[in-house]
Amino acid sequence: MIIVMPHQYPALTTEQKKELQEIAERITTPGKGILAADESTGSMGKRLSAIGVDNTEENRRLYRQLLFTADERMDACIGGVIFFHETLYQSTDDGTNFAQLIKDRGIVVGIKVDKGVVPLAGTDGETTTQGLDGLAERCAQYKADGADFAKWRSVLKISEHTPSELAIMENANVLARYASICQQNGIVPIVEPEILPDGDHDLKRCQYVTEKVLAAVYKALSDHHVYLEGTLLKPNMVTPGHACSKKYTSEEIAMATVTALRRTVPPAVTGVTFLSGGQSEEEASINLNAINLCPLGKPWALTFSYGRALQASALNTWRGERENEKAAAEQFIKRAELNGLAAQGKYESTGESGAAGQSLYVANHAY
Amino acid sequence: MTTQFPSLSPAQKKELSDIAQRIVAPGKGILAADESTGTMGKRLEKINVENNEENRRTFRDLLFSAVDANCIGGIIFFHETLYQKSDKGVPFPKLVKDKGIVVGIKVDKGTAGLNGTDGETTTQGLDGLSERCAQYKKDGCDFAKWRCVLKISDACPSALAIAENANVLARYASICQQNGLVPIVEPEILPDGTHDLLRTQYVTEKVLAATYKALNDHHVYLEGTLLKPNMVTAGHSCPKKFTPQEVAMATVTALRRTVPAAVPGITFLSGGQSEEEATQNLNAMNQTALHRPWKLSFSYGRALQASALAAWQGKASNKKAAQDAFTSRAKSNGLAAKGEYTSTAGADKASTQSLHTANYVY
């Protein structure tokens, strides 16, 4: 057995900690969230084929350009943009590097650094995530190229026998290693332990699993001496599985989500930026709003890090045509603004919520 | 297996949560009056009073008759005391409960050596704990307390000590909740040693992270628990001195990094601190600029009783003076639990405030 000497060999200087915390706070300034524009080439291919557009480097550049050149309304509700590697080195039509463009707008530049999932042998199709090799050098380079935060996605799934102990432990560990390496290079790590919504499990099951996964994640972060104030968490909301026959209100989703976070995410974590998973644009906004209205103490910022939930309408409007760019950007800005409001509990959807919705919050000891 | 086999019903959870909230209601804390017979002997010896059952009863009667429910939310009893009565023949639990104060009971059976370590310990008391808790609940208790002990030295606390104590605390907590008792979880890191503030903070963070992982593994309902940790202070023999603001900042930082917001309250132990020190430090914590989602209050033994014991000297004629001393300390700590304490020793706010350093230094 390893004898642990509980001596501190400080991982970060005071200056490094200060820088990391300030970056994290800037990204999650009240009313702001993250545009996850880090779709890999393959993922982007799926989005583009759905609107009949060829998956070429130029089309990917044109599409990201229309988002990044959206007007100043974007600056009030987007605190950070996550880039894919290729995009970080692309430029606008007039030659302005995208990262520089975003940075000059006062928005923090982020970069996806994982290298995708790989199988965990001996499990029921579970995975871990790779990308640690040479990560320190890559982070240093990304920092020099304008990035101040990074993102790494681990994936877990709920079924009768999953997530397994191994999957939970291995993904928590690899997330903690990634986070530790990022911080050494002045990069705020967004920690993303996504639990997929696939399945027929109910809200309670998802909440239970989320609590177990997050407890393991934060134990691993502590073991790896990660400075929590200089991190962000990007979790799934607690929702029923896609194939669950029972329906839940946004207030129930909010209560289950906030309860799970309160039981596992230390107050020192600067912000929680939810992934949208398979949710529609409207759903993702309504749920985020309900989360911010949940009557339980919430010591961290609760905002968005949305990909599809910010871009679906924009993509549909653009359809690869230059003359649709302005209209497409308008769709994006609209979703960004609505989510900015949702991040403050001020979103009023055309659907339910508002005063009527509030009465649906059930006391949390039912969770 | 990530399937839930619910350990508590919603009604059980609500009861536990309500009890915990009552104990740490704003401005309230805990009187730790659970000194074992042996420990009570040490206290009484200091004031030349014989350590017999009657004297122990008399002293607790002195405290419980005077205790003010405005600043004391809960009292921890030792087993013997739970079955003793006041001068007027009222059972102590009833006396206390009728004042609106929650009754608690120490349930651990002391420390036991961890072989192969440098004098480290775990705590025993799990055998038959469920049955004991059920009985204590019937006899008027609504919360329990279990103390684990760790120490800081070159090789301590070891991984084993941290893991074993975290595990035993989680087992205890789980059993308590099954029997309607709110468990106070106490992983005390002793202040003995020459280590500085940062070392204590580091160790405290590691210990608390392990504690909350264990509580999660054991499916403990956090909203129905309380934490009783040490404040983060330098070792007793550390040559460098730190202000209450530095102690507060280091402590609150450590807690923010490890204690989930679902925990309703943190009731500090006073350890070897003087009454005034314990109050000032608690007050500074409640004035820290960092956001604190849990109540920060006290669970003091010596820091509430030292003056009372000294005033009493075992003499009935000193009873009122002793009660006044106790009441005064209780009130001061009640204010400190709200960050509203101003010490008569008058360290002026301005001079101490300038020592405030941002939390990324910690």
Side-chain angles (χ1 to χ4, degrees):
Chain A
M1 123 151 357
I2 299 165
I3 310 266
V4 166
M5 293 293 124
H7 287 270
Q8 187 167 17
Y9 302 98
L12 301 164
T13 63
T14 302
E15 299 324 347
Q16 286 175 301
K17 286 181 178 177
K18 182 175 196 289
E19 187 196 15
L20 291 167
Q21 180 169 2
E22 283 175 354
I23 291 168
E25 284 172 350
R26 255 191 296 142
I27 296 169
T28 55
T29 303
K32 296 191 185 186
I34 298 171
L35 161 63
D38 61 317
E39 295 85 355
S40 62
T41 307
S43 288
M44 214 45 223
K46 287 188 223 162
R47 309 274 175 270
L48 295 176
S49 93
I51 54 169
V53 174
D54 281 343
N55 187 18
T56 63
E57 196 187 330
E58 179 59 7
N59 283 339
R60 293 192 295 272
R61 186 192 72 81
L62 284 170
Y63 175 62
R64 267 63 180 262
Q65 175 175 245
L66 82 81
L67 296 175
F68 299 166
T69 56
D71 68 41
E72 72 281 351
R73 287 174 288 165
M74 176 183 173
D75 304 341
C77 41
I78 300 295
V81 173
I82 317 179
F83 281 65
F84 177 61
H85 179 90
E86 171 192 75
T87 320
L88 200 68
Y89 303 102
Q90 288 180 323
S91 307
T92 61
D93 292 342
D94 62 18
T96 308
N97 169 260
F98 280 156
Q100 193 59 52
L101 174 69
I102 290 296
K103 217 168 169 161
D104 289 344
R105 301 185 65 153
I107 300 173
V108 188
V109 172
I111 176 73
K112 184 225 302 284
V113 298
D114 71 76
K115 296 191 167 183
V117 300
V118 290
L120 282 173
T123 67
D124 184 13
E126 293 179 291
T127 63
T128 181
T129 297
Q130 56 184 5
L132 293 179
D133 298 351
L135 182 58
E137 291 74 15
R138 293 175 59 219
C139 281
Q141 186 62 55
Y142 285 135
K143 181 78 174 179
D145 295 339
D148 282 315
F149 74 98
K151 172 222 148 185
W152 172 296
R153 177 172 176 261
S154 268
V155 185
L156 297 131
K157 62 175 182 174
I158 298 179
S159 71
E160 209 198 316
H161 299 289
T162 63
S164 64
E165 280 292 307
L166 173 63
I168 293 175
M169 182 270 294
E170 163 58 25
N171 281 288
N173 191 61
V174 81
L175 278 165
R177 272 299 292 142
Y178 140 79
S180 167
I181 293 170
C182 281
Q183 292 195 328
Q184 288 300 299
N185 292 282
I187 299 234
V188 165
I190 295 190
V191 172
E192 181 177 355
E194 173 170 11
I195 301 163
L196 297 173
D198 306 45
D200 59 5
H201 52 273
D202 65 7
L203 188 71
K204 266 192 155 37
R205 180 89 195 279
C206 183
Q207 183 189 332
Y208 177 79
V209 172
T210 302
E211 289 178 15
K212 292 303 174 193
V213 168
L214 291 179
V217 167
Y218 282 96
K219 180 59 166 62
L221 290 173
S222 168
D223 290 344
H224 285 259
H225 317 302
V226 175
Y227 177 60
L228 293 186
E229 291 87 334
T231 66
L232 295 173
L233 177 70
K234 178 165 172 168
N236 49 284
M237 292 181 189
V238 173
T239 62
H242 276 159
C244 179
S245 47
K246 187 168 178 206
K247 294 303 160 208
Y248 297 87
T249 63
S250 56
E251 287 78 13
E252 289 173 301
I253 285 170
M255 191 57 104
T257 303
V258 175
T259 299
L261 297 174
R262 279 168 52 81
R263 289 175 181 168
T264 54
V265 183
V269 173
T270 297
V272 176
T273 59
F274 294 98
L275 59 94
S276 47
Q279 298 182 45
S280 68
E281 289 175 327
E282 181 78 353
E283 230 181 322
S285 299
I286 290 176
N287 286 336
L288 178 62
N289 191 57
I291 284 169
N292 277 284
L293 290 175
C294 178
L296 294 176
K298 306 176 289 290
W300 348 254
L302 290 167
T303 184
F304 57 95
S305 175
Y306 291 167
R308 279 167 285 181
L310 275 171
Q311 301 176 56
S313 296
L315 273 162
N316 252 328
T317 304
W318 176 52
R319 307 201 75 84
E321 304 297 338
R322 295 225 64 159
E323 62 264 23
N324 293 341
E325 279 171 9
K326 203 164 182 314
E330 201 55 37
Q331 290 295 313
F332 162 61
I333 291 171
K334 178 177 147 196
R335 284 324 311 169
E337 286 185 319
L338 289 173
N339 284 308
L341 288 172
Q344 301 171 80
K346 294 180 182 172
Y347 173 70
E348 275 166 29
S349 86
T350 43
E352 78 288 19
S353 95
Q358 281 238 320
S359 63
L360 295 169
Y361 285 107
V362 174
N364 81 311
H365 40 76
Y367 291 83
Chain B
M1 289 296 120
T2 45
T3 322
Q4 187 171 20
F5 301 99
S7 42
L8 299 165
S9 67
Q12 285 176 300
K13 285 182 180 176
K14 181 175 195 303
E15 186 196 15
L16 291 166
S17 172
D18 286 349
I19 291 167
Q21 295 285 346
R22 262 193 291 143
I23 296 170
V24 293
K28 299 192 189 190
I30 298 172
L31 163 62
D34 61 317
E35 294 86 357
S36 62
T37 307
T39 304
M40 211 49 217
K42 288 189 221 163
R43 308 274 178 268
L44 296 177
E45 188 188 20
K46 274 205 173 141
I47 53 168
N48 292 310
V49 173
E50 196 188 322
N51 185 19
N52 57 47
E53 199 187 328
E54 179 56 17
N55 283 340
R56 295 192 292 275
R57 189 203 66 78
T58 302
F59 181 63
R60 267 64 179 264
D61 179 84
L62 183 161
L63 296 176
F64 300 167
S65 308
V67 69
D68 180 0
N70 288 317
C71 41
I72 300 293
I75 299 181
I76 316 178
F77 281 62
F78 176 60
H79 179 92
E80 172 191 75
T81 319
L82 199 68
Y83 303 102
Q84 290 180 321
K85 298 180 177 156
S86 70
D87 291 346
K88 300 185 182 144
V90 180
F92 280 148
K94 184 177 191 312
L95 178 66
V96 162
K97 235 173 160 161
D98 286 348
K99 289 186 174 206
I101 299 173
V102 188
V103 174
I105 177 73
K106 185 230 296 286
V107 298
D108 71 77
K109 296 193 168 183
T111 57
L114 279 175
N115 307 314
T117 67
D118 184 14
E120 294 177 293
T121 63
T122 178
T123 296
Q124 51 188 6
L126 292 179
D127 298 352
L129 181 59
S130 187
E131 290 75 15
R132 292 175 58 219
C133 284
Q135 187 62 51
Y136 284 137
K137 180 77 175 178
K138 283 205 192 103
D139 295 340
C141 300
D142 283 313
F143 74 98
K145 172 222 151 189
W146 173 295
R147 176 172 177 260
C148 271
V149 185
L150 296 132
K151 62 176 182 176
I152 297 179
S153 70
D154 201 55
C156 302
S158 65
L160 173 62
I162 294 175
E164 164 59 25
N165 282 288
N167 191 61
V168 84
L169 277 166
R171 273 298 294 139
Y172 140 79
S174 167
I175 293 170
C176 279
Q177 293 195 327
Q178 289 300 301
N179 292 284
L181 294 180
V182 165
I184 295 191
V185 172
E186 182 179 353
E188 173 172 8
I189 301 162
L190 296 174
D192 307 45
T194 56
H195 53 275
D196 66 6
L197 190 70
L198 280 180
R199 180 89 196 280
T200 303
Q201 185 189 331
Y202 177 79
V203 172
T204 301
E205 288 177 15
K206 294 304 176 193
V207 167
L208 290 179
T211 303
Y212 281 95
K213 180 60 164 65
L215 289 173
N216 182 282
D217 289 342
H218 285 258
H219 317 302
V220 174
Y221 176 60
L222 293 186
E223 291 86 335
T225 65
L226 293 170
L227 177 70
K228 179 166 171 166
N230 50 283
M231 293 183 190
V232 173
T233 61
H236 276 161
S237 318
C238 180
K240 191 173 178 203
K241 295 302 160 209
F242 297 89
T243 64
Q245 286 67 32
E246 289 171 306
V247 167
M249 193 53 115
T251 305
V252 175
T253 299
L255 297 171
R256 278 168 52 79
R257 290 175 181 168
T258 54
V259 184
V263 174
I266 297 174
T267 55
F268 295 98
L269 59 95
S270 47
Q273 297 180 44
S274 69
E275 289 176 326
E276 184 66 10
E277 225 180 326
T279 305
Q280 288 212 13
N281 286 337
L282 177 62
N283 193 51
M285 302 220 198
N286 280 292
Q287 292 182 339
T288 326
L290 297 173
H291 177 62
R292 306 170 297 280
W294 354 254
K295 300 274 182 27
L296 290 179
S297 186
F298 57 93
S299 176
Y300 292 167
R302 276 169 285 181
L304 274 171
Q305 301 175 57
S307 296
L309 273 161
W312 180 48
Q313 296 291 321
K315 303 190 168 75
S317 51
N318 293 336
K319 185 172 170 182
K320 176 132 195 345
Q323 288 178 321
D324 287 348
F326 166 60
T327 303
S328 169
R329 273 339 297 174
K331 283 204 161 88
S332 298
N333 285 307
L335 288 171
K338 295 188 276 187
E340 293 171 8
Y341 175 69
T342 39
S343 95
T344 44
D348 59 294
K349 223 172 169 206
S351 69
T352 45
Q353 279 232 319
S354 63
L355 294 168
H356 176 102
T357 357
N359 79 309
Y360 36 75
V361 172
Y362 292 88

